[in-house]
Amino acid sequence: MKTKINIYIVAAIATIFMLSCSKDDLTQQPTTSVSDEQVFSSVEAATTVLNAAYRYIGHYQNHTLSYIAADVMGDDATVTSGAYGYPTYSWNQYSYSYSQVPGSTPWWSGYANYIWPINYKAIDHCNSIIVYADNLSESSTKDNLVAQAYGVRGYAYHWLVRLFAPAYNANPEAKGVILRLEPANASSDHIPRSTVKEAYEQIISDLTYAYENITSTDRDFLTKESVALLLARVYVEMNDFANAKIYAAFAANNTFDGSNLMSQDEWKSGFKDHNSEWLWFHNFTPATCNIYASIPSFYYYAESFQGYPYGAKVNIEDKVSKAVNIWDGYGTIRFTKAFVDLFEQTDARKRFPFYFYDEDGYFTSKFNHRTMMGDAEFPMARIAEAYLIKAEAEAQPGGNVALAKNVLNNLQIKRGATPTEATLENIYKERRKELYGEGHRLFDLKRLRLPLIRSTHPEHWANVDLPADSPRFMFPIPENEMLYNQSLTSEDQNDYWK
Amino acid sequence: MKKTQEKFYPPNWKKTSCNFTIKVLIMILIFITTQSFIGINDQKITLKMENVSLEQILWKLKEQTKFEFAYSNQDVASPIKLNINVKNESLDLFLKDILNKFDLEYKITQDVIVINKKIEQQGANTELKQQKKRIVNGFVTDKSKSPLPGVSVMLKGTSTGVATDIEGKFTLSVSDNLENILIFSFIGMQTQEIQIGNQSEFVVELEDLTEFIDEVLVVAYGTTKKSSFSGSAAIINSKDLIKNPSSSFEKALQGKIAGLQVATASGQPGATTSYRIRGSGSLNASNEPLYVIDGVATTSSDYSIVAKDAYSTSSILASINPQDIESITVLKDAAAASLYGSRAANGVVIITTKSGKQGDGKISLNLQIGAASVPKTFDLMNSAEYYKTIFTDYYKTRLSNGYSGTDAATWANNQTQGLITFNPYNITQPYDANGKIVSNANIIVDTDWQDEVFNPAMTQDYNLSFSGGTKQVNYFFSGGYFKQDGTSPAADYSRYSFKSNITTNIKPWLRAGMNTIFSYSVQNTEVSSGQGASPLYNSLYFPNGVPVYQTDSQGNYILDEAGNKQFNWTNPVSKDFNPLAIPYMDIWKTKTYRLISSLFAEIKFMDGLKFKTTFSPDYVSLYETKFWNKEHGNGPAYGGRSERHQTHDLMYTSTNTLNYTGTFSDIHNVSAMLGSEVWNSTREYALAQGTNFAFNFMNELAGATNPLAPSSYTSNESLMSYFARAEYNYDNKYYFSASFRRDGSSVFGANNKWGNFYSFGGSWRLEKENFLKDIAWINALKLRSSYGTSGNNQGLGRYQSLGLWSAGSSYNYANYAGFAHIQLANPDLGWEKQAMFNIGVDYAFLNHRLYGSLEYYNKVSTDLLYNYPLPTSHGFALIMRNLAKVKNAGVEFELGAEMIRNKDFNWNLNFNLSTSSDKILDLADTPDVIMSTTKKIWKEGYSQYEFYMPTWAGVDKETGAPLWVKGTGTTSTYSAADNQFQGKATPDCYGGLTNSFSWKGIDFSFFIYYSVGGLVYDGLYASVMHEGNNAGTQLHRDVLNGWTTENTSATTPKYTNSNSNLSNSTSSRFLYDATYFKLKNVNFSYTLPKLICQRLGVLNTVKVYFNIDNLFTWFKSDWKGYDDIDIYGIGGYNASPTMPLSRTYTFGVNFSF
C-alpha cells in the first residue's frame, strides 16, 4: 500500500514538471507583421515599404496641414473666422493667424508636431530602402525602387526645409533641417541641424539621383518628368535659373505652346482626377485617406444656390435652404476679394462661386470631389508650373524675355486670360492665379523676400503684417525634437520660438 | 415543506395574510414595563395580541424583555391560536398560564428561560425512561477565559437543555449515546456543536461572532486563516459589494480597502475602472493589478474596439455578475502576491464566486430597481448672456474702427447671429445703435443643452439563485439580469449571466468539481471626448441660442409635412450633429460573450497530502457594430458607413499542485506546495466594413454597396511557470513562509525569457506569549513582516521585443499594399522587477471591540519598461527599454470599532486611511520626459504624476490679456511662458469611513470616502473659459466677470471674438486642490421579523432596502465641474468630456426561501 501511494506521488510530481508545453511556445511570431529581414527579402516586398512612404507623404496630418498652411500663411487665402455661421472647427486657424505653438497640444495649434515626424517617418522608410536594397539582387525594378526612395526623400526634405528654415536665398548658412540618411535603429546617433545650404545640396543630390534612375511612368508615383519639375522648383528657389530652365523644359517635354496644358473645361470642372497636365498626383482613395480631413474637404463649397448668379453674394439665411450639401465638408478656406479681383471675368481659373460677406472672403471651387466628399486625387506637380518657372527664368536679367513672354502668354491664352508683358511682377501674379491652393504662396513670399501684408484687406481677421524674411515664416522645431535630440541646444530653435 | 406549512396554519390563514400582517404591525400594542426589574416575578407585562401562535408570543416576549428563550421548534409548533390581553401581569404567571395550554413548562437560569415539555409528558415516554442516563457537566467561557453565564446548552435533536449558571457551569442529564451532540449557543457568539462521546467533562470556549481576525482568506493557490497569514491582504464580502446595482464589482471597493485607489474614468454603463494597489510602480507599462477568478488568473484588458473608437471603454470584468461574487481578496505585499510571479507587481485581486454550503437548500431572489441622475453640471451662459458677450465685443471693435453706431450695431448683430448660427431673439436687430438691448427684444431660444442631454436613467437588477449541499455534493446555480441606462442619450449596458458550481466527493480519496460562468452582455457606448458625435461634448459646448428643433424667427417649431418637429442640424460646434438625435441614429454596440469554466480533480494520497489538477478555459468573444447613418453626422459623406468587428480570445490555464500539511508533536505545523502552470491565449480578430447604404434602417453589410478594406490578425501569448511555497509555524505562535516562482513568457525578448521571483514572510502572535496572555483587554496582537520580489509583464504588446514591419490599411497607398516600420527590435526587453518590504501589526482589543491593523510598505520597482524617447527626426518617437526606477511607500491604517454592542442595538464603525508617495529614483540619464497630453513631467526625485505647465499669473490690468510666468516676470504669449512644476495629482491620503447601525431588523449605514491633497486639472472648465479662442463655443458664466475697461481687477481675461491668445490653454489657472469628501453611500434596510416571514408562507427571510449612491460631495476648492473627480482618472487630467458618475437611488427586496 505504502509503495503504491509513493508511486502516485512520484507520478504527481512528474506531472507537475512535464505537463508544461514545449519551450518553443515562448517564441511567438505576429501574423500581420514581418521582420526586418523578411521585408527586404525581395524587390516586391521592399516595394511595400515605398508604398508606406508615399502614404506618409499623403497623411492628412502632413499633407493637409502643410499644404494648406503654405496657402493660408500667405496673403491671398484666409480661414473663416468662426463668424457668419461657418466655424473654423479649429483646423488650420492657428497657422493662418501665426499663433501656433511648438508643443503638441492643443493639437490644432501645434502643426509642427505632426508635419515634422510624419515626414521623417517617410524619410526613414526611404533610408531603409536605400541602405537595405544593397542585399537585393540586381534588376531594373530594384534600380527604380531605389531611385523612387531617393526621390521621395528629396521631396520630403524640400518641404521640411521650406517650412522650418529661412529661404535659401535669404541666408543659406542659416540652420536647416536634420539630415538623416541612415535607417533608424535602437542606437541611432543624434544629429544636429544642417545648414540650409547643406539641406539643398542633399535635396538636389537625391532628386538628381531619382531623375537619372527612375524608369517607371505611373504618375501616382514620381516619374522622371515630375522629378525634373521638383528640381526646377528647387533651383528657382536658389536663383539658379540656368538649371531651373533646363529641368522645367524637361518637365514640359520642351513644349511651351500650351498644347500640353489642360483645357478650360477641365480646369472649370474642379481638380479631382488627374489629367495629362498632372505630372505627379497623390492617388487618394476613400479607403486610404481621411475624407473629412483631406484637402478638398476644407475647400468644400455648396454646389448651387438657387436664384444666385455665379460669384454672387449669398444671403446668409439661404445658406441652408437654397444650397445643396453646403455642410458636408469643413469648407473653411476662403480667398480675399483683392485676390478674386486679380482675375478677368473670362479667366477659367476664376473659380469663386459665391460669398456671404466681404469680411468672410470667397469660397473657391477649384477643388472638387469624386465619389464622395473629400475624395479626390491631388496634383503634386503640374506642367503649368514648369511654364511659370521657365518664364520666370527667362525673364531674369540677361534672359530671353521674348521667350518668357511667349511661354507666359501661351499659358494665359490657354486659361482664357489676356496676354501680358513678361515682367517678373506679371509672372509672379500669374503664379498666384495658376497655383492657388496648391501650397506655393508662403514659399514664394519667402524666396522672393516679400513682406506679408494683410491689413489692407478686410477679409483678413488676423491682421498679421510681417516684413520680408520674417522669422515667423518658419515653423517651430517641435518640442520633442528639441527635448530629445541631444545634439540640439535651445539655440537650435528658430528665432521666433526661442 | 409545503405540507408542513398547511398543517401549521389554519386553512384560512393565507386568505387573510395581508390583513393580518397589517394587524400585527399596527394593531398589536405591547407595553412592557421594564423599569429596572430584578427577576421574572418582578417582570410585569402588558400585551394585547389577536390570533397568534405560541411562538409569536415568545418572540414578542424575547424582543421586549431582557430574557432569552430556549426551546425546540417542535415543542412550540402548535396550530393553536390565542388571543392575548393582559395588563401589568407578572411574566411568571403569564408564562405558566400560557405554557400550560401547550403542556409545556419553563425553567429559568440567569436570563435564559428554557421551555420544555412537562416532566410528566417525558415520563410517559417509556422508551426514554428505560434508556440509561448519564450526567455531563462543564464550564463555558469566552475567548478571554471569562466564564459565560446564561449560555444555552441543548442536546441536539431533543428539547433537553439547560443554561449555564453565573460561574459558566452547567450540568445535564442525557441518554447514554456516544453520538449525542451538545449545542452551545449565546448571543453574539458562534454556536458550537460538540459530540459527547465518552467525555463527561467539557471545557468550552465560545468564539465571538464578530471576530474578524480569523477570517478565512482566499490567497494565491489556496486559502489560509488570517491569524496565521504573514502577508498583507484585505477581504471584502458580498454584502458590501452589492449594496446598489452595478455592472461590475470594481467601484464598490473604493474607500473600503486601505492601499487601494479606485478611479472610474467614465459613468458609461459597463466602462472600466482603474485600480492602483499601493501606488504606481510602472511608468509605461500597466499599473493595473492581476485579476484572479476562482483561482484562475484572467485578463482585465479592454477588448472592445468600438468602445475605444467612441473614446470610451468596456470592462471585461463586467462579464462577472457582482451578485455571484462571494468575496474579493486584495493581495498587497510580496508574501501575499509574489507567488503570481511576473504578473504580481501591481498587486492581485482575487475574486471568489459563490458556492453551495452544506445544509438545507436555499432559494434566494433579489430584485433591485434604481434611478440615476447627474447631480451637478457646469454653470454656463444663457442665450441672452452669450449674445450680449459676443455682440458687445463685435460692436466695440467696429466702433473703434471708425464706423457709426448704427453700422456697428447692425454689423455686430449679424456677426453674432452668424456665430451662434441662429438668432435667439424675436427681432433681427435686438441691440440698437447705442449697443443697448431693444425693449421689445425677447429671447425665443434658450436651450440648456446639459439639461437636454442628461436625463434620469433607470437601473434594474434581478437575480435568482439556488444553493445547498449534502455530505457528497455542494451546489450553487444562479441566473441574473442586469440593465443600466446611461444618464446621456442611448448609452446603456445589459447583461444576462448564469453560473453553476458543483463540487462532489466521489470517493474518499477523490474530490472533483466544475465551476462555470456564462454571460452575455450588450453595451451601447456613448461617444465621448471631443468628437462631434459626442453628446457630452456638445452639451457643454453648444451655446444656448442653438435650438434643438428647427425653429422659425418667432420661436415656433417648423414642422414637417406629417406635423412632427424636425431636429436642427446647424450649430457652431459640431458640424451636422445634434446630440439628442445622433446617438439614436448611429450605432456603437458591443456584444460580449464570456465563458469561464474550471474543472478540477483533487486526489488525497494520505492525510495531509493532496494533488490537485485544474483545467480552466476562458473564452471571450465580442461582436461589435458601428454604424454611421447616411443622413447626418459622420455618415453622409460615405452614404452611411458600417463596421463589424469580431474578436475572440481563447485562453486556457492548466494548473497542477501538490499540497502537504502536517503537524508534528502538536506544535510544529508544516505545509508545503509544489506546482506548475501553463497559460496560453490565442486572440483572433476580423473587421469587415462597407459604405453607401440604401436605407438608414439597413445597417447590415449586405446593404453596403461599397466595401472598405477588411482586416484581420491572430496573436498569441504564452506563459509557463513553476512554483513552490512552504509554511511553518511553531505552536500557532511563530509563523514563517517562503515562496518561489519561475516564469517564462513569450512577450519578452529572446535574450530574456525567464524570470525568478521569491518572497519570505514571518509573523509573531504576541498575545499567545505569557507576558501578554493575562492582559485581558488584549485579544490579539500580531506582528508581521515580509519581503519579496515580483514582476510586471502587463500593458505590453505581445510582440514588443521584435522589429516589426506591419501591414494595415493605414499603410497602404492607393491600391498598393504598404508595410510600415512600426517598431524597433529590442531582444533584451524583460520583466519589470519589483521588491517590496512590508511590516505591520494586527490588533484586537477590549473584547474585540477595537480591531484593525497598521502597516508600512516600501516598494522599489526597477528595470521599468520605459518608452525611451527618441528625437522624432529619428523616425521613431520612442523605443521600449528596461531602464527606470521608481519607489512607492506608504502607511495603511485600519480601525474597526464596535461602539455599541448589545442585544438589540449595534453601532459599528470602520475607518481606514492610506498614504502613499511615489518618487522616480532613476531615469537612466535620459532627459526629463514631458508629457504634453497629460501635462506631466517625469523627473528624478519627483512623482510620476507631477503636473508641469505654465503658471497662471492672472490678468494684465492694462489690457485684459492673460498672463503667465516667464522667468522673473510675466508674458502674455502662451508659447513663451515657462513650464513649471505644479505639484502632483495623487492624493496625500485617502480612505473611507463606514458607520453602520442596527436595531432589531433595521440596518442603517453610511459610507464616506475622502481624499486629501493632490491636484486635479479641470480641462472641461478650461474649455468653456476660452474668452473667444474657440469661436462659437459655449462659455461659462465666469466669463461674464471678465476684464473690461470698467472692471480692470478681474481675474478672468478680456473676452475677444476670434481670440488667439490661448488664454485657456493648459496652465495652473485650471488646477484645483483635489481634496474632497464624498457621502458615497447611504443604505437603509429592514429585515422583516421571522414571524411575519413565516406567516407569509414559505419565506425564510425578507429584506427590503433603500440605497443612495453618491449623495453629496464636498470640495475643498472652488470646484466648478461635475460632482465627480474620478472621471479625471488617477493622473487627475482629462481634457475632454466623459459621462460623469451619477447619483443613484435604489430600492431592493431580497427574498430567501
Side-chain angles (χ1 to χ4, degrees), chain B residues 449 452 547-551 557-558 560 564-570 576-585 632:
Chain B
W449 284 98
E452 294 287 339
V548 177
Y549 300 100
Q550 290 179 29
T551 303
Y557 294 126
I558 302 170
D560 68 6
N564 298 318
K565 289 186 275 188
Q566 306 176 78
F567 282 108
N568 163 44
W569 298 99
T570 311
D576 201 24
F577 284 97
N578 183 319
L580 300 180
I582 282 287
Y584 298 102
M585 297 166 77
H632 295 284

Side-chain angles (χ1 to χ4, degrees), chain B residues 178-321:
Chain B
L178 297 183
E179 300 290 305
N180 274 344
I181 289 170
L182 288 180
I183 302 173
F184 296 84
S185 55
F186 189 71
I187 186 154
M189 298 280 183
Q190 286 175 22
T191 300
Q192 246 188 58
E193 296 191 7
I194 295 174
Q195 195 168 338
I196 295 179
N198 290 322
Q199 270 179 281
S200 56
E201 292 281 337
F202 293 88
V203 177
V204 180
E205 196 179 294
L206 290 186
E207 304 260 312
D208 277 14
L209 263 183
T210 47
E211 172 120 339
F212 86 108
I213 206 158
D214 239 8
E215 280 170 326
V216 172
L217 270 182
V218 179
V219 293
Y221 301 95
T223 59
T224 186
K225 284 201 161 180
K226 193 158 184 183
S227 65
S228 66
F229 191 52
S230 306
S232 178
I235 187 162
I236 291 283
N237 287 311
S238 60
K239 68 172 169 40
D240 290 320
L241 282 176
I242 52 174
K243 281 197 164 148
N244 65 316
S246 176
S247 58
S248 190
F249 66 87
E250 298 108 288
K251 294 177 193 72
L253 268 63
Q254 188 179 41
K256 296 287 173 66
I257 290 180
L260 172 68
Q261 209 187 338
V262 180
T264 305
S266 165
Q268 162 73 39
T272 58
T273 297
S274 264
Y275 272 15
R276 291 288 180 278
I277 298 174
R278 296 190 157 178
S280 304
S282 288
L283 294 171
N284 288 120
S286 168
N287 278 301
E288 297 296 328
L290 172 71
Y291 288 88
V292 175
I293 300 174
D294 290 323
V296 181
T298 185
T299 175
S300 61
S301 63
D302 185 355
Y303 285 85
S304 174
I305 310 272
V306 163
K308 191 173 154 223
D309 285 354
Y311 294 86
S312 189
T313 55
S314 177
S315 171
I316 192 65
L317 294 169
S319 57
I320 312 294
N321 182 352

Side-chain angles (χ1 to χ4, degrees), chain A residues 236-255:
Chain A
V236 85
E237 283 166 6
M238 300 166 77
N239 289 345
D240 183 345
F241 297 107
N243 270 314
K245 248 188 292 199
I246 294 168
Y247 286 103
F250 186 89
N253 198 20
N254 221 0
T255 307

Side-chain angles (χ1 to χ4, degrees), chain B residues 305-311 527 585-590 623-629 634 640-645 687-690 693 699-701:
Chain B
I305 310 272
V306 163
K308 191 173 154 223
D309 285 354
Y311 294 86
V527 181
M585 297 166 77
D586 289 350
I587 299 174
W588 301 79
K589 190 190 287 288
T590 301
Y623 185 80
E624 302 187 87
T625 303
K626 185 157 104 184
F627 178 63
W628 291 345
N629 80 85
N634 284 319
R641 175 171 176 162
S642 195
E643 296 172 11
R644 293 294 181 284
H645 302 260
L687 162 69
Q689 48 182 346
F693 286 79
N699 67 62
E700 290 292 352
L701 293 177

Side-chain angles (χ1 to χ4, degrees), chain B residues 1112-1126:
Chain B
F1112 174 76
T1113 313
W1114 176 85
F1115 296 94
K1116 184 183 172 196
S1117 57
D1118 177 24
W1119 179 250
K1120 311 280 185 177
Y1122 297 127
D1123 197 13
D1124 175 19
I1125 276 185
D1126 281 357

Side-chain angles (χ1 to χ4, degrees), chain A residues 16 19 25-26 31-34 36 51 55 82 84-85 87 104 121 125 180 185 188 220 283 292 327-328 372 481, chain B residues 415 418-419 572 575 634 637 654 676 714 718 746 753 805-807 809 812-813 816-817 819 821 873-875 932:
Chain A
I16 285 172
L19 191 115
D25 284 0
L26 295 186
T31 56
T32 54
S33 299
V34 294
D36 298 354
N51 294 336
R55 181 63 185 275
Y84 314 104
S104 59
K121 202 81 193 164
H125 282 62
R180 231 171 229 292
N185 61 60
S188 293
D220 48 355
N283 191 351
Y292 286 104
W327 293 104
D328 278 7
M372 54 180 72
E481 188 71 36
Chain B
Q415 291 271 83
L419 193 73
K575 201 171 63 62
N634 284 319
S654 172
S676 74
T714 302
S718 51
S746 66
K753 286 286 182 200
W805 294 80
S806 287
S809 60
N812 296 342
Y813 171 54
Y816 312 106
F819 274 65
H821 200 187
S873 63
H874 188 281
S932 48

Side-chain angles (χ1 to χ4, degrees), chain B residues 852-885:
Chain B
S853 65
L854 174 67
E855 55 192 309
Y856 166 81
Y857 69 88
N858 181 0
K859 71 173 181 183
V860 177
S861 313
T862 52
D863 283 353
L864 294 188
L865 292 163
Y866 189 69
N867 280 326
Y868 181 75
L870 301 169
T872 49
S873 63
H874 188 281
F876 287 85
L878 49 92
I879 180 169
M880 189 70 96
R881 287 198 196 163
N882 294 94
L883 284 179
K885 188 171 172 182

